[in-house]
Amino acid sequence: FSGLLGTVYRRGNLSFTRDGNSLLSPVGNRVSLFDLKNNKCETLPLATRLNIVCVGLSPDGSLAILIDEEGAALLVSLIGKCVIHQFYFHKPVHSVSFSPDGKKFVITKDNLAYLYHAPGKKREFNAFVLDKTYYGPYDETTCIDWTDDSKCFAVGSKDMSTWVFGAERWENLIYYSLGGHKDIIVACFFEENSLDLYTISQDAALCVWQCDTELDGLKPMPPKDAAKEESAEENDEELLEEPKGEEIHGKDHPDEQETRGKVKYSRVAKYFFNKEGDFNNLTSAAYHKKTHLLVTGFASGVFHLHELPDFNLIHSLSISDQRIASISINCTGDWIAFGCSGLGQLLVWEWQSESYVLKQQGHFNSMVSVAYSPDGQYIVTGGEDGKVKVWNTSSSFCFVTFTEHTSGVTAVTFTSTGYVILSASLDGTVRAFDLHRYRNFRTFTSPRPSQFSCLAVDSSGEIVSAGSQDSFEIFIWSMQSGRLLDVLAGHEGPISSLSFNPTKCLLASASWDKTVKLWDMLDSWRTKETLIMNSDVLVVAFRPDGKELAVAALNGQITFWDHENAVQIGSIEGRHDLQMGRKELDKITAKQAAKGKSFTTLCYSADGQSILAGGLSKFVCIYNVKEQILMKKFEISCNYSLDAMEEYLDRRKMTEFGSMALIDEGGGGEDGVAIPLPGVKRGDMSYRHFKPEIRVTCVRFSPTGRSWAATTTEGLMIYSLDAGLIFDPFELDIDVTPSNIRKTLHQKEYTMAIIMAFKLNEKKLIQEVIETVPSSEVDVVCSSLPDLYVEKLLEFLASAFESSCHLEFYLIWAHKLLMLHGQKLKTRSVKLLPVIQFLQKSIQRHFEDVSKLCEWNIYNIKYALAISQQRGMKRLAEETSVDEEELDSDSDYLM
C-alpha cells in the first residue's frame, strides 16, 4: 500500500507537527501527513479497526496516539511510521492531549478525566500507565487544555461547567469548578504562563476568567495530609476492572473551610460572537497563546479571528457551507487548518496574507471510475457528485476539478496524448476537458437524451464512443468536429461496458443481453463477431497488445477470448475469491449471498500477463492469465466502520427482536439543529444514521507497471511495488561481492563492474558504480553492455531520476542507451513499454521543473539588464548574453 488519494479529511482533530510545516489529518481509519513546505502528501502505512476520532501529538513530534470510535488506541511512531503499542480504553474517548513537557497525557471519556504517564520517557514495560483519575463533571467531558508548565489542566464538559485540576497535588489547587455558560463547552484555553482561563460554549459565548494566583504560587502539599486525604476518599461505589491510580473527586459547592486559602477565580468579562437574533452554533475553536489569536468555527461554515483579551475582530470569512469540525493553528501562528467533515474539505489558511496554503476536497460521495494518464503521472477520478478531479501521483494532490456535469459521472478516460480527459455522465453528455487550459472544449450529446453508462476512446484519440443504459445503443462521435458519426444498434439490453482494441480499429461492447459484440470501424461499423455468454456481461477489457479479450459476467466467471477467431481460450471461476461480507441488515448469510455476486471491474497489468479484478467486496484479486490461478488477493480495507466487512454477524448485536442495527440511534447527534421547545428531544428527527458499504468500483493498472489504483468506498487507494530493502540477486556467482565490484571499478573495467552490480542487485551499490563512471566513458560502456542489462539499467535510471540530483549525468546515460540500443529495444517494445513509460514520466517531471526555472532566470536577467540600462550604469552586456545562450542550450538539451 503506498497512498490514499481522493479523501483528505473525514472526522477527528487536525494537528500540526512541531515545526509547523506538516499537518496530520485523520482520513477514515488511516492518517495522512501533508507536507505543506514541499507540497507532498503521504498516508502512513497503518490503520485502526474503526474510524479515528481523535489524535494526540507529543510535543517533540515523534509520537502520536490515534483513538478510534470504540476507544481502541494505537501508539504510533511518526519517525519510523509504525505501531509501537496498542491499548483499549473500553469506552469512546472524546479528546486526548499531551502535557507541554511531554511527561504525561490526559484523555477524557464519559464524565471523567484520566491522567497517564506518557510513554517513551522511562523505557517502561507498559506504555500506558494510569496516574490519576479525576471526578467532577456530571456529563460527558469534551475538551482539554494544559498550562504552559504542565502543572494544571482544564477540562470542559457538556454539563456547561469547566473544571481546573492540578496535575499534581497542590495545597491551594486540587480542583476548581467554573460555571457561567448556558450551553455545552466547546473549548477552554489557558493564557500564556498563567492560570487565567478562557472558556467558549456552543451558543457562541466567551467567558474570561481571572485567577488571583500565579503559577509559581502553587504550593506542593505536605506528604502527611496527602495520606490522610487519600484514606478518606476510598469509597466502594466505583468497581472498575482497570487499576485506578490515585483518584481525585471534585464537588460543585465546597464548604467554607475547604475554600479558605485556596486559589480563587473571578469572571472578568463575557463576550458574544453572534449578533442580536443570530443562532449560529459554534462548533470548534483554537487559540494561539503567543500571539493571543483566537479562531472560532461555526456550523454555517463561517470562521472568526479575534484578538484576546480585548476581543477585537481581525476578520471573519466563510469557507464552506457545512459545519467546521476541527481547527488547528501551527506553532508560529501563521497558518490555520480547517476540516469540514460534511464535504471532506481540508483547508490551510494564511490569515495575514489572506490566502490559501492548501485547499483540498475529496468527492462528496463515492468515486465511480478512475483512469491513469499514458505516462502514469496523473490520475483522473469521476464521482457520483458529478465532479471530475485530476490528481498528481507524485504529490497526491488534486490540482484541477471540473464541475460541468449536472449528474453522476459514470466513466472517465484519458486520450493517448495524455492532455485530454473524457467523461461520460448520467446527465446525457460526454464532455472533453483540456489539461492545458483547464476547460471543457467539447460536449457530445445524443439526438434523444440518454443516460451514458460507459465510455471508450480509440488509440488515435479521434473517435469517442459511449454506451447508453436506456436506449441500448452505442453512439460514435468525432473528436475533431464534435459531430455524431454513427449510432450502433443491435444490443437488446443496457450496454454495460465498451473497450477499444489498442492496436486495431475494433470496438468491443458488452451488454446485459448475454453477448459481446465486436464492431469493425473500417468496415463501416458492421458487427464483425458476436460472442455469446451464458449470463449477463458486466465488463470487457482488451490486453495491452490487443491480442486477447477478457470478459466478466454476472455468474462470477472471467473468460478469455481470442477475438480474431472468436474462440474461448480460458476461464477463471472467481466467485469464491470475492468473499462477500454480510451487511448488518442482511437476512441471508454471506456464503449464500456470494452466489449472486460477480466481478464488476477488470484491468490487465501493463505487461498483459496478469489481470486485476474487483467487485462488491473488500478484496481485489490478481490472477495469472496463462495459468488461470489466483496470484494474490489484496484486502482493500480493514475499517469496520463500513458495512459488509465481516463474514459473520456479531451475535452480541442480535436481540430477540432482530439486529441492533435496526434501531436508529442517530437522532441528530451534535450536528442536528436544536428544536427550542420544552420537553422535546434535541436533534433533527428526520436525520438517519447510515453506514457506507465497502465496495471496489473500478481498478486500473498504471502504464508504468509499478502501481495500480482502485476506487473504493474509502477513497482512491494506490498500491505500488515496494522500494524497500529486499535482497533480490540476479544470476549470482560466488565471486560477485561488494569488495570485488569496487576492485573492478578501481581497475576501470566499468562494464564488468556494472554487470556485477546488477547481479548483486543492491540499489546503493549500483548507484555508486554508475556514478563512478566518468561522463566521457559513458558512450563506450553503453555500447558494450549486453541486451539483458540494458533493460535493467533503464529501469534503474528511471527510478534514480526521482531522487537523484545528478540530472545531466543521468540524462547522458539515458540518451546514449536509447540511441545505441534503440533498434533492438523496438523489437521487444511490448515487454519494455512499462519501463520506457516510467522513464518518460521521470524525465517529463524534471523537464517541467527545469524549464520553469530557466524561463524565470532568463526573465530575471532581462529585467536586470533593463534596469541597469535605465540607470545609465556602465555594465557589460556581453556577460549576461553568454549566460542566456548557456541556459538556452541547456533547455534545448532537455527537450
Side-chain angles (χ1 to χ4, degrees):
F1 176 78
S2 77
L4 173 68
L5 279 71
T7 34
V8 285
Y9 173 74
R10 280 281 164 81
R11 56 176 294 192
N13 58 322
L14 302 166
S15 37
F16 276 100
T17 52
R18 187 180 166 205
D19 56 2
N21 295 339
S22 306
L23 178 68
L24 214 62
S25 164
V27 187
N29 66 335
R30 296 180 186 274
V31 177
S32 290
L33 189 66
F34 292 91
D35 185 349
L36 302 171
K37 274 274 155 67
N38 306 325
N39 203 25
K40 273 210 167 56
C41 157
E42 59 167 332
T43 307
L44 304 188
L46 42 98
T48 54
R49 261 184 56 111
L50 298 162
N51 287 337
I52 295 174
V53 179
C54 50
V55 179
L57 210 60
S58 69
D60 59 359
S62 59
L63 294 177
I65 295 178
L66 316 176
I67 305 180
D68 70 17
E69 289 167 347
E70 278 184 359
L74 295 182
L75 177 68
V76 173
S77 157
L78 292 179
I79 299 166
K81 304 193 165 84
C82 56
V83 177
I84 300 174
H85 185 70
Q86 296 179 346
F87 190 77
Y88 188 41
F89 284 116
H90 294 289
K91 294 239 177 82
V93 173
H94 302 289
S95 52
V96 53
S97 171
F98 274 90
S99 66
D101 62 4
K103 289 190 179 149
K104 308 235 165 100
F105 68 90
V106 170
I107 64 140
T108 58
K109 65 178 195 195
D110 287 347
N111 57 345
L112 312 178
Y114 294 88
L115 182 68
Y116 283 86
H117 288 291
K121 292 286 175 209
K122 299 203 291 279
R123 294 198 174 178
E124 62 280 274
F125 175 63
N126 186 3
F128 291 76
V129 181
L130 185 63
D131 184 23
K132 297 186 180 68
T133 310
Y134 295 90
Y135 294 82
Y138 289 110
D139 202 347
E140 292 180 359
T141 42
T142 52
C143 56
I144 314 165
D145 191 53
W146 283 84
T147 54
D148 281 352
D149 58 0
S150 312
K151 286 186 175 175
C152 303
F153 62 92
V155 172
S157 162
K158 284 191 180 174
D159 64 2
M160 304 178 268
S161 65
T162 310
W163 294 72
V164 182
F165 291 114
E168 271 134 54
R169 294 225 157 200
W170 309 111
E171 196 183 341
N172 47 358
L173 174 63
I174 297 172
Y175 62 88
Y176 199 101
S177 162
L178 304 166
H181 282 287
K182 299 181 186 167
D183 208 339
I184 297 171
I185 307 288
V186 174
C188 51
F189 306 108
F190 280 107
E191 190 50 86
E192 191 181 12
N193 291 326
S194 86
L195 279 170
D196 297 354
L197 189 66
Y198 302 110
T199 57
I200 300 170
S201 65
Q202 192 177 303
D203 59 357
L206 165 80
C207 286
V208 184
W209 303 89
Q210 197 174 5
C211 180
D212 61 357
T213 318
E214 282 303 306
L215 277 172
D216 312 336
L218 293 175
K219 311 184 197 104
M221 186 166 272
K224 193 172 62 200
D225 299 3
K228 245 190 240 168
E229 215 174 277
E230 244 178 79
S231 59
E233 262 176 16
E234 281 179 11
N235 50 356
D236 308 316
E237 304 171 288
E238 325 295 337
L239 289 166
L240 279 171
E241 317 84 85
E242 310 175 24
K244 283 210 219 119
E246 196 181 333
E247 294 184 6
I248 287 154
H249 291 258
K251 304 195 191 89
D252 263 354
H253 307 290
D255 333 345
E256 288 282 313
Q257 70 191 57
E258 273 188 44
T259 53
R260 204 173 300 124
K262 297 275 169 81
V263 169
K264 273 198 175 57
Y265 273 94
S266 51
R267 191 171 84 191
V268 195
K270 185 168 184 178
Y271 301 109
F272 295 96
F273 291 93
N274 287 338
K275 297 183 189 65
E276 202 72 36
D278 239 8
F279 296 108
N280 195 353
N281 272 357
L282 190 145
T283 53
S284 54
Y287 180 60
H288 191 253
K289 295 184 180 178
K290 289 195 178 56
T291 53
H292 303 290
L293 182 76
L294 175 72
V295 190
T296 48
F298 293 85
S300 61
V302 177
F303 74 93
H304 295 326
L305 261 75
H306 283 90
E307 189 182 14
L308 292 182
D310 310 328
F311 200 66
N312 303 329
L313 182 67
I314 299 171
H315 68 218
S316 142
L317 285 163
S318 169
I319 51 165
S320 161
D321 45 7
Q322 298 262 352
R323 66 190 281 272
I324 298 175
S326 172
I327 299 181
S328 175
I329 308 181
N330 77 343
C331 55
T332 55
D334 300 333
W335 293 347
I336 307 167
F338 298 99
C340 303
S341 52
L343 294 170
Q345 278 175 320
L346 179 66
L347 309 154
V348 179
W349 172 260
E350 185 167 18
W351 63 275
Q352 282 147 328
S353 65
E354 301 201 12
S355 60
Y356 287 112
V357 180
L358 166 81
K359 186 179 183 191
Q360 291 282 303
Q361 180 179 351
H363 284 284
F364 175 52
N365 29 21
S366 58
M367 295 185 206
V368 179
S369 58
V370 60
Y372 269 99
S373 67
D375 59 357
Q377 213 170 350
Y378 305 123
I379 292 181
V380 59
T381 57
E384 284 175 3
D385 53 359
K387 290 196 176 90
V388 175
K389 285 178 175 282
V390 191
W391 308 82
N392 186 331
T393 50
S394 53
S395 74
S396 305
F397 284 133
C398 167
F399 60 91
V400 60
T401 304
F402 299 111
T403 54
E404 274 82 2
H405 283 295
T406 53
S407 180
V409 177
T410 51
V412 287
T413 177
F414 269 95
T415 58
S416 51
T417 57
Y419 289 113
V420 176
I421 293 169
L422 287 156
S423 63
S425 164
L426 295 175
D427 61 6
T429 60
V430 173
R431 291 176 188 268
F433 302 100
D434 170 17
L435 274 190
H436 286 303
R437 296 199 188 86
Y438 298 146
R439 64 196 178 100
N440 171 207
F441 68 94
R442 283 259 185 285
T443 304
F444 308 105
T445 55
S446 51
R448 277 204 319 273
S450 59
Q451 298 186 320
F452 296 122
S453 57
C454 50
L455 175 72
V457 59
D458 79 329
S459 49
S460 66
E462 291 300 315
I463 290 173
V464 180
S465 66
S468 99
Q469 277 185 356
D470 36 18
S471 65
F472 311 159
E473 290 163 336
I474 301 165
F475 298 91
I476 311 282
W477 295 275
S478 151
M479 184 68 122
Q480 289 284 325
S481 63
R483 283 212 196 95
L484 182 65
L485 299 178
D486 210 340
V487 180
L488 311 181
H491 279 298
E492 297 158 21
I495 316 290
S496 55
S497 172
L498 292 173
S499 176
F500 263 104
N501 190 321
T503 51
K504 296 197 200 64
C505 299
L506 191 71
L507 174 69
S509 65
S511 164
W512 294 5
D513 61 7
K514 305 189 184 181
T515 61
V516 172
K517 288 187 190 295
L518 299 169
W519 312 82
D520 194 354
M521 191 173 84
L522 301 175
D523 192 12
S524 70
W525 297 108
R526 270 199 221 125
T527 32
K528 201 175 141 191
E529 204 67 66
T530 303
L531 313 175
I532 295 173
M533 308 286 160
N534 42 14
S535 84
D536 300 9
V537 188
L538 299 179
V539 56
V540 287
F542 273 104
R543 203 163 72 183
D545 59 2
K547 299 255 171 37
E548 188 180 272
L549 182 69
V551 179
L554 194 59
N555 57 4
Q557 269 189 346
I558 302 174
T559 48
F560 300 100
W561 295 76
D562 170 11
H563 58 84
E564 297 283 312
N565 313 316
V567 289
Q568 182 177 339
I569 45 181
S571 80
I572 293 173
E573 190 68 57
R575 191 189 299 139
H576 302 299
D577 302 327
L578 254 176
Q579 242 180 358
M580 289 291 305
R582 182 172 175 182
K583 285 190 286 206
E584 286 185 337
L585 302 176
D586 276 356
K587 296 281 188 283
I588 48 175
T589 59
K591 201 170 172 186
Q592 291 297 327
K595 292 184 178 170
K597 294 299 185 268
S598 54
F599 292 114
T600 54
T601 171
L602 286 182
C603 178
Y604 274 98
S605 64
D607 54 7
Q609 287 172 6
S610 43
I611 193 162
L612 278 168
L616 299 182
S617 84
K618 60 177 176 175
F619 290 106
V620 169
C621 305
I622 296 193
Y623 292 99
N624 186 324
V625 175
K626 211 157 136 199
E627 306 286 335
Q628 295 169 17
I629 51 172
L630 179 68
M631 284 158 60
K632 190 159 171 52
K633 198 152 130 184
F634 288 92
E635 188 173 1
I636 286 295
S637 167
C638 56
N639 186 355
Y640 285 90
S641 300
L642 301 171
D643 210 350
M645 282 293 292
E646 301 172 87
E647 211 168 324
Y648 302 104
L649 285 188
D650 196 344
R651 287 268 169 246
R652 284 172 291 192
K653 288 190 181 144
M654 296 303 278
T655 61
E656 52 181 316
F657 308 111
S659 166
M660 294 279 275
L662 286 166
I663 304 164
D664 194 5
E665 289 173 351
E670 299 131 31
D671 329 354
V673 189
I675 306 168
L677 287 173
V680 166
K681 182 180 159 196
R682 303 196 60 159
D684 173 11
M685 301 305 285
S686 66
Y687 174 85
R688 285 290 168 267
H689 175 70
F690 63 92
K691 276 176 94 165
E693 182 189 344
I694 181 78
R695 56 173 57 184
V696 178
T697 46
C698 187
V699 290
R700 283 292 175 265
F701 215 95
S702 164
T704 60
R706 300 188 63 81
S707 61
W708 57 272
T711 49
T712 66
T713 317
E714 288 221 277
L716 172 61
M717 308 276 195
I718 295 187
Y719 288 79
S720 63
L721 291 179
D722 248 358
L725 287 169
I726 303 168
F727 180 58
D728 179 17
F730 175 77
E731 297 185 359
L732 197 57
D733 303 341
I734 290 179
D735 25 309
V736 178
T737 60
S739 52
N740 272 0
I741 293 173
R742 290 192 178 96
K743 208 182 291 172
T744 320
L745 258 188
H746 206 62
Q747 295 160 0
K748 302 200 171 171
E749 294 179 16
Y750 297 119
T751 316
M752 196 59 222
I754 287 177
I755 292 175
M756 283 164 75
F758 272 112
K759 281 186 174 173
L760 203 59
N761 215 351
E762 283 284 328
K763 201 168 173 186
K764 288 270 188 310
L765 195 62
I766 298 171
Q767 190 173 340
E768 183 188 328
V769 171
I770 286 182
E771 287 178 5
T772 322
V773 181
S775 53
S776 52
E777 301 270 322
V778 170
D779 210 346
V780 185
V781 174
C782 283
S783 58
S784 59
L785 260 185
D787 288 352
L788 194 59
Y789 293 95
V790 172
E791 299 174 35
K792 289 195 169 297
L793 188 52
L794 277 175
E795 194 167 352
F796 171 77
L797 287 177
S799 61
F801 271 120
E802 292 191 330
S803 53
S804 173
C805 53
H806 306 298
L807 184 56
E808 191 186 2
F809 180 69
Y810 279 123
L811 277 171
I812 294 171
W813 269 102
H815 184 221
K816 295 287 184 227
L817 272 178
L818 292 172
M819 290 301 278
L820 291 165
H821 296 275
Q823 288 303 321
K824 288 182 198 158
L825 294 176
K826 236 177 187 167
T827 55
R828 298 199 306 274
S829 62
V830 178
K831 203 175 158 202
L832 277 179
L833 198 62
V835 177
I836 301 290
Q837 273 171 337
F838 184 32
L839 187 69
Q840 183 195 351
K841 170 184 168 182
S842 307
I843 294 180
Q844 179 72 25
R845 219 183 74 226
H846 280 296
F847 171 66
E848 283 167 11
D849 293 350
V850 176
S851 58
K852 269 183 204 157
L853 201 63
C854 288
E855 280 163 19
W856 175 243
N857 286 346
I858 290 171
Y859 165 73
N860 275 348
I861 291 168
K862 284 180 179 165
Y863 176 71
L865 264 174
I867 291 286
S868 67
Q869 281 163 4
Q870 275 176 355
R871 291 192 183 159
M873 286 163 65
K874 291 184 180 172
R875 178 80 60 83
L876 289 175
E878 286 104 34
E879 293 174 28
T880 44
S881 63
V882 171
D883 282 27
E884 266 187 69
E885 278 164 23
E886 272 179 305
L887 277 172
D888 279 347
S889 62
D890 220 24
S891 55
D892 287 346
Y893 179 63
L894 277 170
M895 292 289 271

